Amino acid sequence: MIKFNFVDNVNDIAPYKAQMWELLCLCDKDFYPSLSSRENNDVGPVNYFEGLFLDNAKFLLAFAEEQLVGFSVFLHDYFEPLIAKFTPCNYIKIACVHPSYRGLRIASSFNSFIEENLPTNLVMPYIVRRTWSTNFPQLKLLERNGYNLVHKFENDRGNNISTVYFAKLLEYTQQNLA
């Protein structure tokens, strides 16, 4: 049975950092390009990993027994000029699931929590995430779940591979704005 834990501040995540690091290294090559290759680092994606632990970071953890089998990090009340029309937002930085536990809807559970179960003080009008243009399963999932393409960096990850940003206006906030 998978158990989920929400950690809403960078101080309380410290006991889990070692397991998060191991899992990130295991999943490094699942990203395009791999996270470690972006840093030219044989040890792993050290800078990327440390960049997850910002003051506005919130963490979702998935456990099988005591073993961390997945995590997602989102940045609360995030602003970036590139996506200014879709801010303030909760920006999903990463979702990482152990290969042996994929297919159990762990990543979907992370998304559902961010979309539907956040404490009221953390709900933002938009959720924004990015991926790469050839990540077809992720792209289809985003579109099926109401996300819209809002920005594209053409060919920045290689020939015919672009970085794409998707945003979703939450129904909860839509209703409150009406």
Side-chain angles (χ1 to χ4, degrees):
M1 180 173 170
I2 304 297
K3 293 183 182 176
F4 293 91
N5 187 16
F6 174 59
V7 179
D8 71 352
N9 69 71
V10 74
N11 296 325
D12 292 343
I13 198 68
Y16 307 106
K17 282 180 85 170
Q19 287 188 68
M20 289 174 71
W21 170 250
E22 290 174 14
L23 187 54
L24 185 66
C25 288
L26 180 65
C27 298
D28 179 29
K29 292 186 178 25
D30 293 339
F31 299 91
Y32 188 85
S34 68
L35 300 173
S36 58
S37 71
R38 299 175 198 183
E39 300 177 20
N40 288 327
N41 191 336
D42 294 335
V43 176
V46 175
N47 294 329
Y48 183 89
F49 181 72
E50 288 305 319
L52 296 175
F53 302 96
L54 302 172
D55 287 340
N56 64 336
K58 310 298 177 196
F59 306 89
L60 294 163
L61 307 173
F63 294 92
E65 303 294 324
E66 299 297 315
Q67 178 65 39
L68 181 74
V69 296
F71 70 87
S72 183
V73 179
F74 70 93
L75 304 178
H76 173 66
D77 200 13
Y78 182 78
F79 177 83
E80 180 181 322
L82 177 68
I83 55 169
K85 292 189 327 189
F86 306 96
T87 60
C89 71
N90 282 323
Y91 175 74
I92 300 175
K93 179 83 172 152
I94 187 171
C96 183
V97 176
H98 190 289
S100 298
Y101 291 86
R102 292 182 186 158
L104 299 177
R105 303 194 44 81
I106 293 172
S108 294
S109 295
F110 292 153
N111 291 339
S112 294
F113 184 86
I114 295 168
E115 291 182 15
E116 301 166 10
N117 298 343
L118 283 178
T120 305
N121 65 315
L122 296 179
V123 174
M124 295 274 101
Y126 291 97
I127 296 175
V128 176
R129 54 189 319 144
R130 75 176 181 194
T131 189
W132 59 97
S133 59
T134 57
N135 188 0
F136 298 118
Q138 178 71 17
L139 297 174
K140 288 179 183 179
L141 181 66
L142 289 171
E143 290 173 351
R144 192 170 48 244
N145 287 303
Y147 286 80
N148 295 301
L149 178 66
V150 297
H151 188 77
K152 185 175 187 178
F153 277 120
E154 293 285 345
N155 300 317
D156 71 321
R157 295 188 187 217
N159 192 25
N160 294 320
I161 303 174
S162 306
T163 297
V164 289
Y165 286 80
F166 283 81
K168 179 177 183 175
L169 177 62
L170 294 181
E171 288 183 35
Y172 170 81
T173 56
Q174 253 180 334
Q175 292 168 358
N176 289 345
L177 293 174

